[in-house]
Amino acid sequence: MKGTALSNKLAVPNNLGEHAREAITASVNPLIADAFALYVKTKNFHWHMSGSHFRDYHLLFDEQGDQIFAMIDVLAERVRKLGGLTIHSIGQISQLQTIEDDNETFVEPKDMLFRLFEDNKNLTDNMRAAHKVCDDNNDVATTSILEVFIDETERRAWFLFEAFTN
């Protein structure tokens, strides 16, 4: 009852309809969870970098972490604009995330690069799937946002790929 009353207070009308709101919210919230997980993983590697390329990788991970973190608010606010509810807690993030946590004490720099490369590739695939849901529901605003984020994520993957293959 309390949750229902709260959600009614948070309801936002839109022209897309209830089905679209539910489908888009269900496809975007896991992206937000993955962005949180990828942000923490990227910062973890940023903080625990060592080796001959320390400065370059440290700066790369910091730059990429900032870019990933910036996605979170944009996506969450988009869900709210549509009248959906978004991430409430770390527990909800852990339930929705597809990006695996990395709790190893030490990871070789090349392995860090490769893991983040794979995670960014997977995030790109998940954003493309969400884009299709948004497109199928005529949500041009969210598709537009996702197109920019797909491009940014592909760029991150490209930079990571170039770093671990050379």
Side-chain angles (χ1 to χ4, degrees), residues 18 55 79 92 100 102 115 127 146:
E18 185 69 16
R55 187 177 191 316
V79 167
Q92 189 176 15
E100 291 184 26
D102 203 309
R115 291 174 192 183
M127 285 192 286
L146 289 172

Side-chain angles (χ1 to χ4, degrees), residues 34-98:
D34 277 345
F36 270 114
L38 185 56
Y39 170 74
V40 171
K41 184 184 260 185
T42 302
K43 292 304 281 191
N44 168 28
F45 291 163
H46 164 80
W47 295 321
H48 296 102
M49 175 54 62
S50 69
S52 60
H53 296 287
F54 171 82
R55 187 177 191 316
D56 292 335
Y57 296 165
H58 184 78
L59 293 173
L60 175 66
F61 294 163
D62 200 33
E63 175 186 301
Q64 290 194 355
D66 289 347
Q67 188 179 68
I68 295 162
F69 190 74
M71 294 171 47
I72 295 167
D73 193 53
V74 173
L75 291 171
E77 287 185 356
R78 184 65 195 153
V79 167
R80 289 293 300 125
K81 285 180 206 174
L82 295 173
L85 297 176
T86 194
I87 304 295
H88 283 88
S89 67
I90 298 295
Q92 189 176 15
I93 291 168
S94 70
Q95 292 170 352
L96 295 175
Q97 77 186 69
T98 64

Side-chain angles (χ1 to χ4, degrees), residues 94 98 101 107 119 137 159 161:
S94 70
T98 64
D101 292 336
V107 178
D119 289 337
N137 286 282
F159 277 47
F161 175 79

